[in-house]
């Protein structure tokens, strides 16, 4: 492997997200078969803890001095032996079939207690200095539960700037050119042709590759679709009306002359979908004034879209600022679009939100 800047970080991030995403798929299947019921916990909880443990152990093995911001803490696992055992069994059984890759990630976690300590390493406060990884082990929990879209998310920030981003999207089609539809990939966890790893390194573009099971398969470069007429755009938004205002998005679409209905999907799969040109715009319009977005919900997607030729800002046109700790407290909402139409979209957004 050529050793350009951040190539090792990218390589390890891809393998770590691949392994963790495969773990979440196996949780979904065990749940669907009913074999998880006796664990007394939701499959989201099991998958979240398992995926976070696997990713952090890989990062600690390779980059022991880096800080980590992750969504979960092990408190509940320490208090519930049944769930703890379920997660531990799962983590022990989650190995890449490529032995060399598994070795690069540091192999198996030594004990159940070290697994708990590893999960708790995700407690960094974040900030504007140093190397900090942001992890969302399962983003889009509702999508995960319904067999639809969710994402395993990992980003590396250096001095508050995202340098590497990886998204594991097990239920998106491998084919970058497949058009975006509401139920794309739904109930398709086991179907052929599903499961993608998206990645980007700052200044080096964005790529996709099949999620696969073993060594990382061939990557293809991805890019946003040029739009000659904004009224032909397809936009994505949350399924959850509580996460993004679906009435404001209709008003903004009207203003832009967009007639196609929105495509609703959970998770950062929205960022990935526009980055590969399957959709054009991603609107995330605040519903509650007091909600602050979390860095792990945006770091990877923000870089992947920008490296694919897009611009990502908040609803006022400000770039997402990852240097303020665990949250994006200086931003409200997210607007992602191809670079040359982004300002036009922001004007429509500001006019609609400003007139409320
Ligand atoms: N009021 C809210 N506004 C925006 N995002 C929210 C809100 N409440 C929760 N979220 C976050 O939205 C993310 C999912 O986004 P999407 O709708 O695009 O799939 C989750 O990480 C979730 O965080 P959490 O996991 O803490 O609930
Ligand atoms: Mg999330």
């Amino acid at each position: 492997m050529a050793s350009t800047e951040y190539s090792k970080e990218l390589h390890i991030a891809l393998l770590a997200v691949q392994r963790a995403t495969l773990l979440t798929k196996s949780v979904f299947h065990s749940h669907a078969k009913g074999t998880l019921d006796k664990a007394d916990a939701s499959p989201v909880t099991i998958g979240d803890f398992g995926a976070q443990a696997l990713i952090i152990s890989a990062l600690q093995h390779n980059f022991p001095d880096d800080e980590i911001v992750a969504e979960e803490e092990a408190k509940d696992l320490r208090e519930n032996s049944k769930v703890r055992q379920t997660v531990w069994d799962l983590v022990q059984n989650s190995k890449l079939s490529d032995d060399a890759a598994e070795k690069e990630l540091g192999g198996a976690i030594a004990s159940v207690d070290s697994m708990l300590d590893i999960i708790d390493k995700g407690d960094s406060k974040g900030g504007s200095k140093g190397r900090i990884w942001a992890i969302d082990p399962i983003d889009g929990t509702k999508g995960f539960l319904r067999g639809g879209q969710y994402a395993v998310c990992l980003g590396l920030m250096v001095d508050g700037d995202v340098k590497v981003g990886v998204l594991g999207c097990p239920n998106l089609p491998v084919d970058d050119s497949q058009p975006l539809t509401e139920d794309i990939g739904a109930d398709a966890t086991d179907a052929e042709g599903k499961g993608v790893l998206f990645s980007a390194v700052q200044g080096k573009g964005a790529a996709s590759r099949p999620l696969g099971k073993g060594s990382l398969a061939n990557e293809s470069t991805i890019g946003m679709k040029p739009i000659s007429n904004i009224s032909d755009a397809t936009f994505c938004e949350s399924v959850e009306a509580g996460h993004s205002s679906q009435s404001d998005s209709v008003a903004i679409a009207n203003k832009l002359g967009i007639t196609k209905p929105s495509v609703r999907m959970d998770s950062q799969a929205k960022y990935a979908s526009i980055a590969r040109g399957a959709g054009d715009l991603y609107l995330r319009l605040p519903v509650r004034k007091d909600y602050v977005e979390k860095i792990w919900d945006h770091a990877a997607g923000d870089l992947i879209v920008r490296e694919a030729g897009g611009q990502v800002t908040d609803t006022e046109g400000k770039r997402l600022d990852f240097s303020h700790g665990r949250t994006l407290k200086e931003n409200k909402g997210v607007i992602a679009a191809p670079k040359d139409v982004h300002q036009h979209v922001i004007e429509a957004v500001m006019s609609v939100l400003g007139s409320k």
Side-chain angles (χ1 to χ4, degrees):
M1 193 184 33
S3 65
T4 52
E5 204 179 13
Y6 298 116
S7 65
K8 181 178 178 194
E9 285 81 354
L10 173 66
H11 180 69
I12 296 301
L14 279 165
L15 289 175
V17 169
Q18 182 188 34
R19 186 169 71 167
T21 307
L22 294 171
L23 173 146
T24 63
K25 276 181 65 165
S26 82
V27 173
F28 178 81
H29 286 303
S30 315
H31 176 66
K33 285 192 226 124
T35 48
L36 264 187
D37 289 355
K38 56 183 182 298
D40 231 353
S42 111
V44 174
T45 306
I46 307 281
D48 261 334
F49 283 125
Q52 181 164 319
L54 285 184
I55 294 175
I56 296 184
S57 86
L59 295 178
Q60 285 213 301
H61 179 75
N62 285 281
F63 312 108
D65 298 330
D66 291 1
E67 287 193 35
I68 299 167
V69 169
E71 192 170 7
E72 307 300 332
E73 55 176 27
K75 186 169 173 288
D76 292 352
L77 275 195
R78 293 186 194 277
E79 287 163 8
N80 186 329
S81 60
K82 214 164 159 189
V83 179
R84 184 166 70 233
Q85 189 59 41
T86 304
V87 175
W88 176 232
D89 290 343
L90 192 72
V91 162
Q92 285 177 293
N93 286 321
S94 294
K95 288 197 184 97
L96 291 174
S97 52
D98 178 345
D99 288 344
E102 189 58 34
K103 208 169 156 204
E104 282 182 278
L105 296 184
I109 296 173
S111 67
V112 64
D113 286 333
S114 49
M115 177 184 80
L116 297 175
D117 293 342
I118 283 168
I119 290 170
D120 276 336
K121 289 286 182 219
D123 65 351
S124 164
K125 291 189 171 59
S128 62
K129 288 276 169 289
R131 288 169 51 106
I132 304 172
W133 295 85
I135 304 173
D136 190 346
I138 296 182
D139 179 39
T141 53
K142 299 268 172 55
F144 171 75
L145 288 170
R146 71 168 86 83
Q149 296 310 322
Y150 70 97
V152 176
C153 315
L154 178 61
L156 170 65
M157 293 156 312
V158 179
D159 298 337
D161 202 19
V162 190
K163 300 292 184 184
V164 179
V166 173
L167 291 174
C169 299
N171 291 340
L172 277 181
V174 169
D175 181 359
D176 287 320
S177 63
Q178 197 162 317
L180 206 56
T181 57
E182 193 86 344
D183 60 351
I184 198 161
D187 294 324
T189 309
D190 251 358
E192 286 293 316
K194 305 283 177 192
V196 198
L197 286 169
F198 294 92
S199 61
V201 173
Q202 190 182 61
K204 301 205 167 60
S208 80
R209 66 187 87 214
L211 175 63
K213 287 193 165 68
S215 59
L216 298 170
N218 296 344
E219 67 167 32
S220 12
T221 300
I222 56 169
M224 295 190 80
K225 201 167 57 199
I227 334 182
S228 43
N229 192 341
I230 190 81
S231 60
D232 295 331
T234 301
F235 75 92
C236 319
E237 64 183 349
S238 288
V239 176
E240 298 298 313
H243 293 177
S244 181
S245 167
Q246 297 175 352
S247 50
D248 289 343
S249 70
V250 167
I252 291 162
N254 283 341
K255 200 145 202 108
L256 293 168
I258 295 173
T259 49
K260 277 186 243 169
S262 70
V263 176
R264 290 179 182 158
M265 59 167 74
D266 297 285
S267 84
Q268 290 191 57
K270 293 186 277 299
Y271 282 111
S273 295
I274 67 165
R276 72 189 339 197
D280 302 298
L281 315 174
Y282 167 22
L283 308 179
R284 188 176 192 85
L285 306 162
V287 176
R288 284 174 27 196
K289 277 205 164 62
D290 59 340
Y291 184 76
V292 280
E293 299 283 349
K294 311 296 185 293
I295 59 172
W296 54 78
D297 282 326
H298 301 282
D302 169 76
L303 183 68
I304 290 169
V305 166
R306 288 185 297 109
E307 286 298 324
Q311 181 58 291
V312 183
T313 67
D314 67 7
T315 52
E316 293 171 354
K318 285 189 293 182
R319 279 273 307 277
L320 303 189
D321 187 343
F322 294 90
S323 69
H324 294 284
R326 291 171 70 93
T327 68
L328 293 171
K329 67 173 185 210
E330 298 300 324
N331 297 110
K332 284 285 173 214
V334 177
I335 306 296
K339 242 185 219 149
D340 51 352
V341 298
H342 185 270
Q343 187 52 33
H344 186 46
V345 177
I346 287 290
E347 280 157 23
V349 168
M350 288 180 72
S351 133
V352 167
L353 299 189
S355 66
K356 283 211 302 181

